[in-house]
Amino acid sequence: MTSRIEHISQQRREKLDRLRASGINPYPHRYHRTHTAQQAVDLLKQKEAGLSQAEELEAAVAGRITARRLMGKAAFIDIRDGSGKIQLLFQDIKQLDARRSELFDSLDLGDIIGVSGTLLRTRTGEPTIKVRDFTLLAKSLQPLPEKWHGLSDTEKRYRQRYLDLIANTEVRDIFQIRSRVISAIREFLNQRGFLEVETPALQPSAGGALARPFVTHHHALDQDFYLRIALELHLKRLIIGGFDKVYELGRAFRNEGISTRHNPEFTMLESYEAYADYNDIMNMLEEMVAGVCQQVLCKEEVEFEGNTISFKPPWRRINLREAVKEYSGIDFVQYPEVDLLRSRMEEMKIEVDPEKNWARLVDELISTFVEPHLLQPTFLIDYPVSMSPLAKTKPDNDRVVERFEAFAGGMELANAFTELNDPIEQRRRFVQQQKERRKEGEAETVDEDFLLALEYGMPPTGGLGVGIDRLVMLLTNQQSIREVILFPQLKEKP
RNA sequence: GGGCCGUUAGCUCAGUUGGCAGAGCACCUGACUUUUAAUCAGGUGGUCGCAGGUUCGAGACCUGCACGGCCUACCA
């Protein structure tokens, strides 16, 4: 007994063989279409609006068959291309010549065809091409997902994203928006005189953030490399080299947990601007996000998890210490030692990992108490220096750095600071960080190459990092990062 | 790493107290010249995720495993 799928596939292979035997190429090389489906519909509308004098409107379109309604001597077929859907009317299919008749009978849902004919509107008002000639462009051997419910099996949607894209038009929309968001960001930065650059993804040491990297090996060099966890250190080298405004839109890789907000590879924007500080960056970021939102969605606010989020500048700006005090009741400055802070948190019945250092405890306070409240775009400003080894301290307080993180929809969107450009101080911070890491049992090397670069002199610089995937989540109201990444990481199926 | 949930036809899903494996769509055959989730009549299609166990009998109950989802943990 053959299963259904084997049976369908078998039938289609037999059709394929019959077509070939009749001299029909089921996979021809090209088709000259004159219109996309959308253009054909627009053409018809123009004529109806009296903008065209033509008696009969001709169009040749091509696309995938998504529905078929056979009516005896007539047939309606829906095809879809990248622009949308259009209906085809085949009349008098019993009168087709032998070759076309055979081809018509062999058509299946999922096949790609090209058709030419005249535009009309049926009595129900559907824009339609009355087909004069048609040709097979690609035979499909697999049945499509169900037409009404689409494809909803999450695993299958991710593993076979092409089926998801065929079956679920909302999914197409998300990735079109993603593309436009990235274009809009490029445009914004280019217009401001930023230079787009590309820096290595394979690095001898993975710096610029503290995350576990992926390790790989270069055979010819016989050397281990790390996939970058941030773009930061190379972009700063370019600031030193005299490019005053640079940015990179690229993939970063972190060998950590996977969740609705984390994918092992994700897309970051990092930008660096010489002679700017974090206040300038704040202004730029809120202007950029509001502008991108306006340009892509034609509005300045979005719905996210049932809340309306407005990106209209200026965004709320609150001091980190004040925010933590407000939402958790703990003023971490009053607990400058890790043990003090930990016991204060334990008093509040917060589960505290005894391995965590002071900076990470503060981080936990932020993510537990503050982050979930930050629905409207908010800048958290001025972080403890121990949490921020690459940021410059405030002129009047060497325990606090000029750093902000931007939040919206309860998610961290961006991280930015006035960059530390004192090479001696930077070395001290790296060494300090290395000690902390050793305590946690992880060795970390000081990036001597970067420190050497800093010694040549880096201008005062404002730097920014934005999680593009999360920004797209916000703009498309998606609660899982996998819904905005075309091929999210899944475990290989055995 | 931990908890909860899911996995049944190509797709979307039912499956009662443990008692013959079901529906819709899709597919095949037939009818039908303006339908659009077309309609009507008939038909084909199953490793019930995998491996064990309990039982006269398991899709269902038990154990383990795999994959996925959500939560949690981890996470600059």
Side-chain angles (χ1 to χ4, degrees), chain A residues 341-410:
Chain A
L341 184 58
R342 190 186 302 113
S343 40
R344 178 71 181 93
M345 288 170 72
E346 279 164 352
E347 275 172 32
M348 297 184 62
K349 306 222 164 34
I350 306 166
E351 268 191 50
V352 182
D353 183 346
E355 297 292 306
K356 278 188 176 172
N357 61 28
W358 186 85
R360 293 196 177 190
L361 290 182
V362 173
D363 206 38
E364 174 146 344
L365 287 175
I366 298 169
S367 49
T368 306
F369 292 100
V370 183
E371 193 170 335
H373 290 99
L374 304 182
L375 294 178
Q376 296 304 320
T378 304
F379 292 114
L380 279 190
I381 300 170
D382 294 347
Y383 282 63
V385 61
S386 61
M387 300 178 72
S388 320
L390 295 160
K392 189 183 260 183
T393 53
K394 295 187 76 76
D396 55 352
N397 184 348
D398 63 5
R399 297 187 59 107
V400 176
V401 293
E402 291 194 344
R403 171 182 173 190
F404 72 79
E405 289 189 301
F407 295 83

Side-chain angles (χ1 to χ4, degrees), chain A residues 140-416:
Chain A
S140 164
L141 302 179
Q142 297 286 340
L144 287 180
E146 208 242 7
K147 62 184 172 188
W148 188 241
H149 299 93
L151 182 68
S152 61
D153 182 285
T154 318
E155 186 176 351
K156 190 164 273 264
R157 287 183 47 232
Y158 297 156
R159 288 192 197 278
Q160 294 180 272
R161 182 68 95 177
Y162 48 92
L163 292 181
D164 194 26
L165 292 167
I166 291 169
N168 302 317
T169 51
E170 334 74 75
V171 175
R172 285 176 58 91
D173 297 341
I174 289 169
F175 290 104
Q176 278 170 345
I177 289 174
R178 181 179 174 123
S179 172
R180 296 212 303 272
V181 165
I182 290 172
S183 295
I185 289 172
R186 278 211 167 87
E187 217 172 286
F188 179 91
L189 291 168
N190 290 345
Q191 264 175 9
R192 292 186 159 228
F194 279 81
L195 181 74
E196 181 171 14
V197 297
E198 293 173 279
T199 63
L202 287 177
Q203 306 180 343
S205 69
L210 257 195
R212 189 198 295 184
F214 288 94
V215 190
T216 187
H217 188 79
H218 190 284
H219 293 293
L221 297 178
D222 189 24
Q223 183 191 339
D224 282 343
F225 281 90
Y226 300 90
L227 299 187
R228 64 183 174 192
I229 55 177
L231 318 179
E232 175 142 358
L233 299 184
H234 279 94
L235 293 178
K236 284 187 192 168
R237 285 171 169 93
L238 296 177
I239 294 288
I240 293 165
F243 288 133
D244 288 344
K245 296 178 176 184
V246 294
Y247 74 97
E248 181 168 8
L249 268 161
R251 209 69 64 84
F253 307 83
R254 295 186 182 176
N255 200 344
E256 286 165 358
I258 297 177
S259 77
T260 47
R261 291 177 182 189
H262 300 84
N263 195 61
E265 48 183 305
F266 61 101
T267 301
M268 290 188 73
L269 163 70
E270 285 198 24
S271 73
Y272 292 82
E273 179 175 354
Y275 313 112
D277 72 359
Y278 76 147
N279 291 300
D280 301 312
I281 306 300
M282 261 183 268
N283 295 336
M284 182 177 86
L285 179 66
E286 61 188 11
E287 196 182 318
M288 179 171 80
V289 173
V292 165
C293 184
Q294 178 68 43
Q295 189 174 336
V296 173
L297 303 175
C298 302
K299 51 186 184 179
E300 269 186 324
E301 78 260 337
V302 295
E303 288 298 310
F304 188 72
E305 288 183 305
N307 301 297
T308 301
I309 295 173
S310 169
F311 292 112
K312 193 177 167 62
W315 298 355
R316 184 183 175 206
R317 301 182 184 197
I318 47 174
N319 181 275
L320 174 73
R321 180 182 170 189
E322 298 301 323
V324 172
K325 211 193 297 183
E326 180 185 335
Y327 290 109
S328 76
I330 296 178
D331 180 4
F332 55 74
V333 175
Q334 304 292 322
Y335 305 89
E337 299 298 327
V338 61
D339 296 334
L340 293 174
L341 184 58
R342 190 186 302 113
S343 40
R344 178 71 181 93
M345 288 170 72
E346 279 164 352
E347 275 172 32
M348 297 184 62
K349 306 222 164 34
I350 306 166
E351 268 191 50
V352 182
D353 183 346
E355 297 292 306
K356 278 188 176 172
N357 61 28
W358 186 85
R360 293 196 177 190
L361 290 182
V362 173
D363 206 38
E364 174 146 344
L365 287 175
I366 298 169
S367 49
T368 306
F369 292 100
V370 183
E371 193 170 335
H373 290 99
L374 304 182
L375 294 178
Q376 296 304 320
T378 304
F379 292 114
L380 279 190
I381 300 170
D382 294 347
Y383 282 63
V385 61
S386 61
M387 300 178 72
S388 320
L390 295 160
K392 189 183 260 183
T393 53
K394 295 187 76 76
D396 55 352
N397 184 348
D398 63 5
R399 297 187 59 107
V400 176
V401 293
E402 291 194 344
R403 171 182 173 190
F404 72 79
E405 289 189 301
F407 295 83
M411 273 193 300
E412 183 192 335
L413 262 194
N415 181 23

Side-chain angles (χ1 to χ4, degrees), chain A residues 2-273:
Chain A
T2 58
S3 70
R4 186 71 240 177
I5 183 63
E6 283 164 349
H7 193 214
I8 291 171
S9 183
Q10 180 62 29
Q11 281 170 350
R12 294 201 180 185
R13 277 161 212 274
E14 285 165 9
K15 279 184 186 173
L16 192 68
D17 292 340
R18 281 201 299 277
L19 288 172
R20 283 200 161 112
S22 312
I24 295 171
N25 178 4
Y27 301 103
H29 288 71
R30 66 184 311 181
Y31 183 77
H32 293 281
R33 60 175 176 178
T34 59
H35 297 80
T36 65
Q38 185 61 52
Q39 286 168 344
V41 172
D42 290 344
L43 186 64
L44 180 65
K45 283 181 184 160
Q46 276 174 21
K47 183 193 168 195
E48 288 166 347
L51 299 172
S52 167
Q53 311 302 320
E55 211 39 35
E56 297 246 277
L57 290 177
E58 295 283 328
V61 300
R64 184 185 299 277
I65 298 176
T66 56
R68 203 166 43 148
R69 295 175 292 280
L70 301 178
M71 308 281 304
K73 292 188 180 113
F76 293 94
I77 286 181
D78 293 342
I79 64 169
R80 215 168 63 206
D81 65 16
S83 73
K85 182 205 103 162
I86 191 162
Q87 175 172 269
L88 311 176
L89 168 59
F90 290 74
Q91 269 192 318
D92 282 324
I93 51 180
K94 307 292 187 205
Q95 303 300 316
L96 291 170
D97 61 49
R99 181 189 170 88
R100 287 195 176 79
S101 180
E102 183 189 2
L103 179 55
F104 183 83
D105 288 343
S106 78
L107 291 180
D108 289 303
L109 289 190
D111 289 355
I112 316 267
I113 60 172
V115 306
S116 58
T118 54
L119 287 163
L120 57 85
R121 209 174 269 271
T122 61
R123 72 171 58 141
T124 51
E126 182 75 19
T128 301
I129 294 180
K130 186 173 155 190
V131 176
R132 191 171 45 252
D133 198 11
F134 62 100
T135 181
L136 180 63
L137 301 179
K139 185 76 195 147
S140 164
L141 302 179
Q142 297 286 340
L144 287 180
E146 208 242 7
K147 62 184 172 188
W148 188 241
H149 299 93
L151 182 68
S152 61
D153 182 285
T154 318
E155 186 176 351
K156 190 164 273 264
R157 287 183 47 232
Y158 297 156
R159 288 192 197 278
Q160 294 180 272
R161 182 68 95 177
Y162 48 92
L163 292 181
D164 194 26
L165 292 167
I166 291 169
N168 302 317
T169 51
E170 334 74 75
V171 175
R172 285 176 58 91
D173 297 341
I174 289 169
F175 290 104
Q176 278 170 345
I177 289 174
R178 181 179 174 123
S179 172
R180 296 212 303 272
V181 165
I182 290 172
S183 295
I185 289 172
R186 278 211 167 87
E187 217 172 286
F188 179 91
L189 291 168
N190 290 345
Q191 264 175 9
R192 292 186 159 228
F194 279 81
L195 181 74
E196 181 171 14
V197 297
E198 293 173 279
T199 63
L202 287 177
Q203 306 180 343
S205 69
L210 257 195
R212 189 198 295 184
F214 288 94
V215 190
T216 187
H217 188 79
H218 190 284
H219 293 293
L221 297 178
D222 189 24
Q223 183 191 339
D224 282 343
F225 281 90
Y226 300 90
L227 299 187
R228 64 183 174 192
I229 55 177
L231 318 179
E232 175 142 358
L233 299 184
H234 279 94
L235 293 178
K236 284 187 192 168
R237 285 171 169 93
L238 296 177
I239 294 288
I240 293 165
F243 288 133
D244 288 344
K245 296 178 176 184
V246 294
Y247 74 97
E248 181 168 8
L249 268 161
R251 209 69 64 84
F253 307 83
R254 295 186 182 176
N255 200 344
E256 286 165 358
I258 297 177
S259 77
T260 47
R261 291 177 182 189
H262 300 84
N263 195 61
E265 48 183 305
F266 61 101
T267 301
M268 290 188 73
L269 163 70
E270 285 198 24
S271 73
Y272 292 82
E273 179 175 354

